[in-house]
Amino acid sequence: MDDHVCETLGRPDLIDLGGGLACLRFESMKVASAVAAVRHLLDTGTVRPGDTLMDSSSGIYAYGLALACHRYGLRCHIVGSTTIDRTTRVQLEILGATLEQVPPSDDLRFDQSRRVARVRELLTEHPDYHWMRQYHDSVHYLGYRAVADQIAKECDPTPLTVVGGVGSGASTGALATFLRERAPDTALVGVQPFGSVTFGGEAVRDKEIIIAGIGSSIPFGNVDHTLYDVVHWVGFDAALAGSVELLRRHAVFAGLSGGAAHLVARWEARRAPERRVVFVAADTGHRYVESVFARHEEAPDMGALAPTAIGDPDDLVPPWSRMEWGRAPAPARAVHVED
């Protein structure tokens, strides 16, 4: 029996979808990451009960950090994206977390950089706050070891391919790192939205892109580019198709990033039938009901979609492009420089 709901939420379900495909379904993925990070900070004396932990978030990390602070008797302050929905805002308030959202922007890329700038202002005003730095501190890898053990136990001895939105780099990077300790041939496929700087795709925009959390307008220190074998860039319409088909065919109600990962994973599974392909669905579809699932009749036929193969991020073609990354280092413009 769990002692706190954060332990329950941090443990995903692994669902066999057939055809060599499996869905790693979280209710709220970053609970696992935030709880393990906070526990480590307490164990090492970096923070103490009653301290205030702070970070920037587009939604699910805010919820995870609020739960971790609730579990361990800490205060929580979130500098939030405009994409944080009312349901999450109300939960944060009741859990005792404080939330300030940056002014609205027509461009989510500016939203992200504004949030980080506000965090720095707050640190000047409150030097006793601890900035969690989910984008840059590798402490956020720790919570995914148990998840990797779960995957290895349930999928062994089949060769594995892990597919997931890149985002901060912690989830997919950690899963690949821990799985490769016992199975070095584990492949890692990252999913990006168009417009993200992380793998050099910022020049190509998708006017409808609302896949918050899997791309970035700024370099992230937790993204280890040398872990990724393949990268896919997925636009809104293609991700919509993946989301709707995941619910229609398999009854899995997941967020838009999970739909994008589903689209990519099914394509990769057909390409390599000898491998078990596990894709990450980081959250449920509830906050995407109006923006995504209510538009299900607009979704293209997922089976008719295929990625354009490219050899360089400068050659990206919407709505879906695929590149053999080959565990190459970060492009110069995506290198995080500590300050």
Side-chain angles (χ1 to χ4, degrees):
M1 184 179 297
D2 293 326
D3 294 329
H4 192 276
V5 70
C6 65
E7 298 164 7
T8 309
L9 296 177
R11 190 167 51 243
D13 303 308
L14 191 59
I15 307 167
D16 186 355
L17 303 186
L21 194 63
C23 176
L24 187 70
R25 179 198 173 275
F26 289 87
E27 184 167 336
S28 188
M29 180 184 71
K30 291 193 176 180
V31 172
S33 177
V35 169
V38 170
R39 187 166 55 240
H40 176 80
L41 293 173
L42 287 165
D43 289 346
T44 57
T46 304
V47 301
R48 298 178 181 180
D51 285 355
T52 298
L53 308 188
M54 174 179 63
D55 214 341
S56 160
S57 174
S58 61
I60 63 174
Y61 183 81
Y63 179 57
L65 186 59
L67 285 174
C69 289
H70 184 276
R71 170 70 176 83
Y72 291 111
L74 296 148
R75 296 184 176 89
C76 178
H77 184 77
I78 299 296
V79 178
S81 167
T82 55
T83 61
I84 295 182
D85 62 291
R86 175 173 169 76
T87 300
T88 302
R89 294 198 305 269
V90 170
Q91 289 185 81
L92 294 177
E93 181 179 353
I94 295 173
L95 285 168
T98 53
L99 168 68
E100 59 175 289
Q101 291 179 278
V102 296
S105 170
D106 293 333
D107 190 331
L108 288 180
R109 297 183 301 172
F110 296 143
D111 174 273
Q112 198 166 48
S113 59
R114 281 179 177 177
R115 283 186 276 132
V116 173
R118 177 57 182 154
V119 165
R120 295 188 185 282
E121 291 176 356
L122 286 167
L123 286 173
T124 300
E125 298 169 12
H126 304 278
D128 57 320
Y129 282 13
H130 180 83
W131 182 14
M132 290 298 295
R133 302 176 78 247
Q134 65 149 320
Y135 304 137
H136 309 307
D137 191 338
S138 61
V139 70
H140 291 92
Y141 274 48
L142 298 176
Y144 297 108
R145 180 173 286 281
V147 179
D149 290 343
Q150 177 186 352
I151 295 171
K153 179 180 178 181
E154 297 192 38
C155 295
D156 188 66
T158 310
L160 285 172
T161 296
V162 175
V163 178
V166 178
S168 71
S171 59
T172 50
L175 290 175
T177 297
F178 298 140
L179 286 167
R180 285 173 182 167
E181 290 177 355
R182 60 181 92 194
D185 64 342
T186 300
L188 180 59
V189 178
V191 181
Q192 286 274 276
F194 291 98
S196 173
V197 71
T198 307
F199 285 86
E202 68 273 17
V204 178
R205 302 284 304 281
D206 182 341
K207 63 183 178 65
E208 288 205 81
I209 193 62
I210 53 173
I211 313 180
I214 71 169
S216 176
S217 63
I218 57 176
F220 286 165
N222 270 341
V223 179
D224 182 351
H225 295 72
T226 65
L227 294 173
Y228 295 84
D229 298 285
V230 175
V231 178
H232 287 250
W233 288 263
V234 178
F236 174 79
D237 289 343
L240 172 64
S243 301
V244 171
E245 187 67 6
L246 183 59
L247 180 57
R248 177 180 289 135
R249 181 184 296 192
H250 302 292
V252 176
F253 187 45
L256 190 61
S257 67
H262 171 230
L263 172 81
V264 168
R266 185 163 293 281
W267 193 91
E268 293 288 343
R270 289 171 176 167
R271 183 174 179 272
E274 74 282 2
R275 304 182 70 86
R276 166 76 75 172
V277 180
V278 178
F279 71 92
V280 178
D283 59 355
T284 67
H286 293 86
R287 65 175 177 153
Y288 298 96
V289 169
E290 294 301 325
S291 60
V292 176
F293 291 97
R295 299 175 60 178
H296 64 91
E297 293 182 351
E298 302 173 27
D301 177 7
M302 193 179 90
L305 299 175
T308 298
I310 62 171
D312 189 283
D314 291 337
D315 299 327
L316 283 173
V317 179
W320 180 10
S321 292
R322 178 187 188 274
M323 179 178 168
E324 294 280 351
W325 191 259
R327 306 191 188 185
R333 55 190 181 272
V335 174
H336 170 65
V337 179
E338 289 287 348
D339 53 14

